[in-house]
């Protein structure tokens, strides 16, 4: 049995604009899991508060893949790529984090001591055992945590894009295919962060 479990999840597969992000999280044993849930079931205020605790206490990584890369490789592959980036970031932090937790580094390959759980039906190409499970973001605290940091990070980015392209309402709908988003794209054309392989 693996010593450490990391959760993986993405945010932003469905939008018509902006990046897809992914989180990767290993939680400490004393983490207050009662603050976690599927990110979609938490209010924005609770997500932001939970993200702060995750980033203070957990070992985490975030991956971001931009709209142009999504168009080049398709959204599924881009989502898996974002998870790979998130895992690599988490893995780079892991030795120092384990030391801060008073946990001795395993004598074997560290990746061999990690097992990953990802939400959905596809696993990214990462150097540890990985299994995918639909609705994992509502079952496993590590995946809940990953979904939260991915969602909060992407929302922050879309708020910044809203400042650059205020006509599109990105701060409100975060690039998802709302009626207002589709209408403005048809009226004034696509924004520079539009996913051009997505139809609407």
């Amino acid at each position: 049995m693996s010593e450490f479990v990391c959760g993986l999840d993405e945010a932003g597969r469905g939008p018509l604009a902006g990046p897809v992000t992914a989180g990767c999280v290993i939680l400490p044993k004393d983490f207050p899991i009662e603050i976690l849930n599927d990110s979609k079931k938490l209010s924005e205020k609770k997500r932001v508060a939970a993200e702060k605790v995750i980033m203070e206490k957990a070992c985490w990584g975030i991956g971001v893949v931009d709209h142009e890369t999504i168009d080049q490789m398709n959204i599924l592959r881009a989502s898996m790529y974002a998870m790979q980036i998130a895992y690599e970031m988490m893995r780079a932090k892991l030795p120092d984090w384990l030391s801060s937790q008073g946990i001795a580094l395993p004598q074997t390959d560290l990746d061999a001591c990690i097992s990953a759980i990802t939400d959905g039906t596809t696993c990214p190409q990462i150097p540890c055992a990985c299994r995918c499970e639909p609705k994992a973001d509502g079952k496993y605290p590590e995946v809940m945590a990953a979904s939260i940091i991915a969602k909060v990070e992407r929302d922050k980015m879309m708020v910044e894009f809203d400042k650059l392209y205020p006509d599109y309402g990105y701060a409100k709908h975060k690039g998802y295919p709302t009626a207002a988003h589709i209408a403005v794209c048809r009226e004034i054309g696509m924004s520079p962060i539009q996913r051009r392989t997505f139809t609407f």
Side-chain angles (χ1 to χ4, degrees), residues 59-200:
C59 188
W60 56 271
I62 290 176
V64 179
V65 175
D66 65 23
H67 62 285
E68 292 177 336
T69 307
I70 292 169
D71 283 339
Q72 290 168 7
M73 63 170 49
N74 79 46
I75 187 59
L76 175 59
R77 289 177 61 198
S79 298
M80 295 301 105
Y81 183 37
M83 289 186 189
Q84 287 178 246
I85 296 169
Y87 180 88
E88 289 166 3
M89 181 178 178
M90 180 282 298
R91 176 64 178 77
K93 295 178 176 182
L94 189 54
D96 286 343
W97 182 79
L98 291 175
S99 179
S100 75
Q101 299 291 303
I103 301 171
L105 282 174
Q107 296 302 306
T108 56
D109 176 24
L110 193 50
D111 291 303
C113 299
I114 302 171
S115 63
I117 306 171
T118 181
D119 182 57
T121 57
T122 308
C123 282
Q125 292 183 344
I126 52 178
C128 72
C130 183
R131 66 185 176 90
C132 52
E133 185 175 326
K135 310 294 185 184
D137 54 358
K139 296 179 183 178
Y140 303 103
E142 295 84 2
V143 184
M144 294 177 192
S147 77
I148 289 168
I149 66 170
K151 170 69 174 164
V152 173
E153 177 67 18
R154 187 178 188 280
D155 284 356
K156 288 178 185 175
M157 295 178 72
M158 295 308 294
V159 169
E160 291 303 309
F161 281 128
D162 184 74
K163 296 174 184 176
L164 293 173
Y165 314 113
D167 293 337
Y168 291 86
Y170 289 137
K172 184 175 182 180
H173 56 65
K174 308 300 190 292
Y176 281 87
T178 64
H181 185 194
I182 293 170
V184 73
C185 288
R186 288 176 175 167
E187 182 179 346
I188 66 173
M190 294 184 178
S191 79
I193 62 164
Q194 221 74 39
R195 300 175 184 178
R196 297 183 180 266
T197 54
F198 283 47
T199 58
F200 57 93

Side-chain angles (χ1 to χ4, degrees), residues 2 28 150 189:
S2 300

